[in-house]
Amino acid sequence: MLVVIQMAKNNKGEIKIEDISKPVSQMIKLSLKDLMTLPPPYDKPGMEPEFTEPKPEWREKYITELDGYIAIDIPWKPKTKEEEKKLIETFLNGLKNLLSREGNWTFLQPLLLSLDYCAKCQTCSEACPIYISSGRKEIYRPTYRSEVLRRIYKRYLTPSGKILGEFISGNIELNANTIIRLAELSYRCTLCRRCTQTCPIGIDNGLITHEIRKLFSSEMGIAPKPLHELGSIQQLKIGSSTGMSPEAFKDIIKFIEDELIPEKYGKKIKIPIDEKNADILLIHNAGEFLSWPENPAAFAILFEEAGISWTLSSDLVGYDAVNYGVWYDDIQLARVAVKHAEVARKLNVKKIVVGECGHAHKALTVIADRVLHDELNIPRESCLPILWDIVKKEKINLDPNKNNFPVTLHDPCNIVRLMGIVEPQRNILRKLCPQFREMEPHGVYNYCCGGGSGFAIMQSMNFPEWRSKIASRMKFKQILSAFQENISSDIPKYVCAPCSNCKGTLRDMLNHYKATERCHIYYGGLADLIVNAMVDLKKPFIEFH
């Protein structure tokens, strides 16, 4: 089947805001020659796969009208004029509710301020890794989707806009193309907030993107399956977004106790589950248990050796720190956050500690403040200061020479830029890794891994290709640059990523570019590095293979 791609460009080849409503089959087409150049050895032709075309059946069923890629993996494209009319009505009613105090109890004020006061200076654009990596494609500019929503709001929902039209709002036509492309466009941003950090007046284009997602999810029932149906809903129903039941969780803990820890550590440790009155309820991203069980094993070893009073929970939701609602739907966020607090209250722990998971940090320790009150307002902390305390106070005998290989640190956006936890993880690496080197930029200015806002778990159809080539490209450039002096050697190089979703993204990125095979670049957690440095360990905890 031959598909002719019509692009939305004016005579100068430029994309305009109003082009989002045009009846073309695809707004832009991505090409390798347009993308940001990568450092050696990836500056040579043939070092990365070409872009692929979406399958004809995907074009028929899903939204490919933006850039050919599919983030929202449910069929919702209107097929008749009646369906288009209903879609527009539902969208406008949802937007009206989103902009009301009753309908937006979390972020109404910052949303309205960001819609009303953007100076359109485009300072934020140069801070956006997706915009830069794509070769500065206009639709990926942080202000593009914001301006689309702003024009719709002003033209269709304000008295002056209804009377004076585009004189007030700017040119925009609200039709099916506008709505379906805006929905997809809200999933071309990782919500990393670098744009907000850079804005001279604090306009939050990341928040506007989040609120667009929320509009489509809570008002229209439209969200990617991995986030909603297989994420939040499955977590509340089964216990984990991974589909892991409490029984399966206990089986994995038994495997870690009976096999993994004895093999790695040389002796058995009893991992506490459902122990009441412990100081700490530790909650990991459940993906760790399935993909990187060494990480929860490392925490168990460290807490055991340091004499920390702690427990895990096997209660529904209590063993999975994931809270995907933080990315797309406040109602789902609140439901999961309340469950986490209820589990902690049931166990009568002194505080909840979040393991190495970036979005769970922000969801439970920051955003959940809006919903956890009175007896549910249990103290909630990051694991990183606790790990630094173990290392700093020398509660365990550690030998830095065991980590004498090149190490760099990835700063998860939700932990570092959005929470300000910058130094504990660095202090650990400075003390335990003789060849530690920073990425540039780093700390609060670091770039997203490319898997933020849910992208790490969105594996449907061709979206992983877009994520690796565009969303993760800047992070891959940072990693290559950090290891440039050793890039061609057989020496293993370690990217420390204290976040489960970041690790998943790094795994897929390194596979896409064959960087482990070509450059011997590996990745892993922070707790793993600490255990690897333990003097009493008979063999390395971290294995490079």
Side-chain angles (χ1 to χ4, degrees), residues 18 147 151-152 154-155 165-173:
E18 55 266 28
E147 183 61 18
R151 290 189 184 186
I152 294 170
K154 287 185 176 180
R155 181 165 181 178
E166 65 182 71
F167 179 77
I168 293 295
S169 66
N171 190 13
I172 193 79
E173 180 185 349

Side-chain angles (χ1 to χ4, degrees), residues 489-540:
S489 72
D490 292 339
I491 299 171
K493 293 162 276 288
Y494 190 92
V495 181
C496 177
C499 170
S500 188
N501 285 338
C502 294
K503 285 192 294 191
T505 303
L506 292 175
R507 173 194 61 205
D508 294 348
M509 172 213 301
L510 296 175
N511 286 338
H512 179 81
Y513 292 100
K514 299 182 179 178
T516 301
E517 173 188 331
R518 291 168 172 164
C519 302
H520 301 278
I521 299 174
Y522 300 82
Y523 69 94
L526 181 64
D528 313 51
L529 273 172
I530 301 173
V531 172
N532 196 63
M534 288 178 63
V535 170
D536 295 338
L537 222 60
K538 303 302 181 195
K539 59 181 182 179

Side-chain angles (χ1 to χ4, degrees), residues 230-488:
L230 302 176
S232 300
I233 301 304
Q234 181 166 247
Q235 184 178 13
L236 290 164
K237 182 179 179 181
I238 296 175
S240 168
S241 59
T242 64
M244 185 197 309
S245 67
E247 293 73 24
F249 164 72
K250 291 176 182 176
D251 287 343
I252 291 173
I253 295 300
K254 190 173 189 311
F255 160 75
I256 293 173
E257 282 181 338
D258 294 346
E259 298 184 40
L260 185 58
I261 289 179
E263 177 192 341
K264 294 275 189 180
Y265 185 47
K267 60 182 180 181
K268 295 186 76 171
I269 287 176
K270 181 65 179 173
I271 296 177
I273 301 178
D274 299 326
E275 289 196 5
K276 292 192 173 184
N277 304 314
D279 289 346
I280 289 171
L281 168 61
L282 178 65
I283 312 182
H284 293 287
N285 181 316
E288 298 290 300
F289 297 112
L290 297 177
S291 297
W292 305 283
E294 296 83 5
N295 186 264
F299 271 91
I301 293 168
L302 293 173
F303 282 18
E304 171 77 11
E305 290 292 333
I308 291 173
S309 168
W310 70 292
T311 187
L312 300 175
S313 169
S314 67
D315 214 342
L316 215 64
V317 182
Y319 51 89
D320 190 356
V322 156
N323 192 337
Y324 294 159
V326 73
W327 295 321
Y328 78 102
D329 194 314
D330 295 341
I331 295 171
Q332 305 307 328
L333 175 137
R335 288 170 176 164
V336 173
V338 166
K339 281 294 296 181
H340 284 145
E342 287 175 346
V343 168
R345 187 179 173 217
K346 177 181 175 182
L347 291 173
N348 197 35
V349 296
K350 292 181 180 177
K351 60 186 175 183
I352 301 172
V353 170
V354 182
E356 295 185 20
C357 178
H359 86 274
H361 270 71
K362 182 187 173 189
L364 192 54
T365 64
V366 180
I367 309 299
D369 275 345
R370 292 165 169 81
V371 294
L372 299 181
H373 304 291
D374 301 324
E375 70 275 4
L376 291 180
N377 192 16
I378 295 163
R380 306 175 302 281
E381 297 180 9
S382 165
C383 65
L384 300 182
I386 295 172
L387 293 178
W388 169 229
D389 188 68
I390 291 171
V391 173
K392 177 177 65 175
K393 293 181 178 176
E394 299 182 350
K395 297 180 179 180
I396 300 173
N397 291 326
L398 301 169
D399 179 7
N401 288 319
K402 289 194 167 189
N403 286 337
N404 195 14
F405 42 82
V407 175
T408 193
L409 175 65
H410 164 65
D411 287 298
C413 302
N414 286 295
I415 295 176
V416 181
R417 180 164 35 258
L418 301 179
M419 287 185 64
I421 304 173
V422 180
E423 288 303 314
Q425 59 272 40
R426 288 183 155 69
N427 290 335
I428 292 169
L429 296 184
R430 290 171 188 138
K431 191 173 180 67
L432 295 183
C433 300
Q435 297 188 53
F436 169 60
R437 76 283 311 272
E438 292 277 15
M439 293 185 193
E440 295 299 338
H442 55 265
V444 296
Y445 298 105
N446 200 11
Y447 285 105
C448 179
C449 65
S453 81
F455 289 0
I457 59 164
M458 291 164 59
Q459 303 286 1
S460 298
M461 288 166 279
N462 59 0
F463 191 76
E465 178 179 277
W466 183 89
R467 181 185 63 226
S468 291
K469 288 190 175 299
I470 306 296
S472 295
R473 194 174 192 84
M474 188 66 79
K475 178 53 58 181
F476 189 49
K477 179 183 179 182
Q478 280 192 291
I479 292 169
L480 292 173
S481 298
F483 291 133
Q484 200 57 215
E485 65 185 62
N486 316 101
I487 201 67
S488 300

